[in-house]
Amino acid sequence: MAISAESEARKALARLKRALSKARRELQSVEDAVVRAEGQDFPRGLYEEADEELSRLLEFTEEEGRRLQAKVLESGGLEPGRIPGTSPKGEG
C-alpha cells in the first residue's frame, strides 16, 4: 500500500467508526422517543436487532483497523507485536 492510500484508508475507517458510534446514539434517542410514544406496543426486538447490527459493524471497523495496521507494519518490515499495542490477533 502506498503511504497516501494507507493514510486515506485509516481516515476513512475512522470516519466510518465515528458515524457508526453516532448512529448507535441516535438509535437510542429514537428508541427512547418511540417507547414514550408507543408504550407497550414498542417493538423492542426490532431495536435490539438494529443495535446488534450496528455493534457488528463497529466490530468490523476494529478488525479492519487491526488488519490494515498489520499490513502497514509488515510492508515496513515490522512484525505485529514488535511495537507496543500491535500484538497479533488472538494474543495479548
Side-chain angles (χ1 to χ4, degrees):
M1 249 194 242
I3 298 296
S4 62
E6 294 164 356
S7 176
E8 187 176 328
R10 284 192 311 270
K11 288 176 184 176
L13 195 57
R15 285 191 306 271
L16 177 58
K17 185 176 179 179
R18 285 191 302 272
L20 290 167
S21 293
K22 180 174 170 75
R24 284 187 84 194
R25 290 190 304 271
E26 294 299 333
L27 179 63
Q28 184 62 56
S29 293
V30 170
E31 181 177 345
D32 294 344
V34 174
V35 164
R36 285 192 306 273
E38 295 186 351
Q40 296 288 63
D41 294 332
F42 175 70
R44 186 164 310 281
L46 292 176
Y47 281 79
E48 288 173 355
E49 288 175 20
D51 187 61
E52 288 171 9
E53 293 287 334
L54 289 170
S55 193
R56 279 192 288 276
L57 288 169
L58 276 166
E59 186 176 311
F60 166 79
T61 64
E62 293 291 330
E63 291 171 5
E64 186 64 1
R66 286 189 294 270
R67 187 189 71 79
L68 289 172
Q69 183 180 41
K71 189 169 192 140
V72 168
L73 292 174
E74 288 169 8
S75 70
L78 297 173
E79 297 175 18
R82 300 254 326 188
I83 297 174
T86 62
S87 63
K89 188 175 180 181
E91 293 182 15

